[in-house]
């Protein structure tokens, strides 16, 4: 069964939740054609689709997507708001610990924004320091472009490109403006650690939004949700097995 913000506390208590799903979005510029809430809207839809699949075999609590995360690299572009890395780590920690205190031991964090690298560290810390807690991160397409050390990967569909445009065309076509600016910077994604998005790509796009289609958006969301739900269930089961076999 799937429980969300429409459930009551009594229903949640009776449900004995197996997995909580916590989506993390971002509010940041997405060039001339996509809304500021693109990452937040996208991860909300992805997390619901994942949670619906998980709920076929488990009792699942779907939380609302946290709108804010690490968007400082877009900071000067109007509408963008961001948390500091340590703030996001602390927010994640507080949310996970409040769920754990109610007896929820499996938490799936679904990250909808590519630059949230601090989540890895905090999730590792939570797993290593709290015995009966398993926190797993499912990573969305937005973050799966295969960045590498300087010079190894150039190009990609990093931001407001074909992938995100396709997803929003499928989810919220009325929010997608007709203009498109295609631009792929001649450097790798890691350059976002050295310069702002505005310096690297003044149009606010990194990719080819003109190639995004409704059909591609529908397919990508369906595939991402199915893969992520399957991977999460496998990972939870594997980790439980590893911990059981190593228990004294
Ligand atoms: Zn985005």
């Amino acid at each position: 069964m799937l429980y969300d913000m429409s459930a009551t506390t009594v229903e949640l208590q009776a449900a004995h939740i197996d997995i909580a799903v916590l989506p993390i979005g971002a509010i940041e510029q997405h060039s001339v054609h996509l809304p500021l809430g693109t990452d937040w809207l996208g991860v909300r839809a992805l997390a619901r689709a994942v949670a619906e699949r998980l709920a076929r075999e488990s009792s699942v609590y779907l939380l609302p997507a946290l709108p804010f995360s690490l968007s400082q690299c877009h900071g000067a572009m109007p509408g963008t708001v961001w948390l500091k890395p340590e703030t996001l780590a602390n927010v994640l920690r507080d949310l996970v610990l409040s769920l754990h205190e109610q007896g929820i031991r499996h938490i799936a964090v679904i990250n909808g924004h590519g630059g949230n690298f601090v989540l890895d560290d905090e999730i590792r810390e939570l797993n290593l320091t709290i015995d009966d807690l398993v926190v797993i991160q499912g990573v969305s397409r937005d973050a799966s472009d295969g960045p590498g050390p300087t010079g190894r990967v150039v190009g990609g569909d990093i931001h407001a490109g074909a992938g995100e445009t396709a997803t929003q065309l499928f989810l919220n076509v009325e929010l997608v403006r007709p203009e498109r600016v295609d631009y792929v910077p001649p450097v790798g994604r890691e350059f976002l650690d050295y310069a702002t998005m505005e310096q690297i790509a003044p149009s606010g796009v990194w990719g080819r939004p003109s190639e995004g289609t409704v059909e591609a958006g529908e397919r990508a969301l369906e595939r991402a949700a199915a893969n992520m739900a399957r991977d999460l269930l496998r990972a939870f089961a594997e980790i439980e097995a590893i911990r059981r076999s190593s228990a004294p």
Side-chain angles (χ1 to χ4, degrees), residues 99-148:
L99 294 165
H100 180 251
E101 219 162 272
Q102 304 156 29
I104 300 178
R105 299 179 45 251
H106 299 124
I107 311 227
V109 175
I110 301 188
N111 175 31
H113 170 59
N116 286 336
F117 302 111
V118 72
L119 295 176
D120 297 351
D121 290 342
E122 194 57 38
I123 286 171
R124 186 178 307 130
E125 179 80 10
L126 284 161
N127 282 313
L128 289 178
T129 53
I130 301 170
D131 272 349
D132 61 343
L133 174 71
V134 183
V135 187
I136 306 271
Q137 184 175 186
V139 179
S140 77
R141 294 172 313 292
D142 202 354
S144 61
D145 301 298

Side-chain angles (χ1 to χ4, degrees), residues 26-197:
I27 303 296
E28 60 187 31
Q29 72 79 23
H30 275 79
S31 190
V32 296
H33 66 294
L34 292 178
L36 293 157
T38 291
D39 289 6
W40 177 63
L41 295 165
V43 81
R44 251 177 26 175
L46 175 64
R48 180 162 287 276
V50 170
E52 281 168 357
R53 282 168 175 79
L54 297 176
R56 291 173 192 164
E57 337 185 356
S58 312
S59 182
V60 175
Y61 179 33
L62 172 63
L63 287 138
L66 180 71
F68 312 116
S69 59
L70 308 188
S71 302
Q72 193 168 10
C73 64
H74 301 280
M77 301 179 86
T80 303
V81 289
W82 43 267
L83 303 178
K84 293 193 186 92
E86 60 269 31
T87 310
L88 178 60
N90 285 331
V91 169
L92 174 70
R93 184 172 192 82
D94 288 352
L95 296 176
V96 167
L97 292 181
S98 53
L99 294 165
H100 180 251
E101 219 162 272
Q102 304 156 29
I104 300 178
R105 299 179 45 251
H106 299 124
I107 311 227
V109 175
I110 301 188
N111 175 31
H113 170 59
N116 286 336
F117 302 111
V118 72
L119 295 176
D120 297 351
D121 290 342
E122 194 57 38
I123 286 171
R124 186 178 307 130
E125 179 80 10
L126 284 161
N127 282 313
L128 289 178
T129 53
I130 301 170
D131 272 349
D132 61 343
L133 174 71
V134 183
V135 187
I136 306 271
Q137 184 175 186
V139 179
S140 77
R141 294 172 313 292
D142 202 354
S144 61
D145 301 298
T150 306
R152 216 173 68 197
V153 175
V154 173
D157 186 51
I158 307 287
H159 184 78
E164 285 193 300
T165 302
T167 304
Q168 290 305 318
L169 283 172
F170 171 57
L171 292 175
N172 306 295
V173 68
E174 70 285 359
L175 300 183
V176 182
R177 279 58 161 187
E179 302 85 11
R180 301 281 187 273
V181 179
D182 286 1
Y183 181 65
V184 178
V187 296
R189 178 191 191 132
E190 68 280 5
F191 273 66
L192 285 171
D193 291 341
Y194 321 137
T196 66
M197 186 74 181

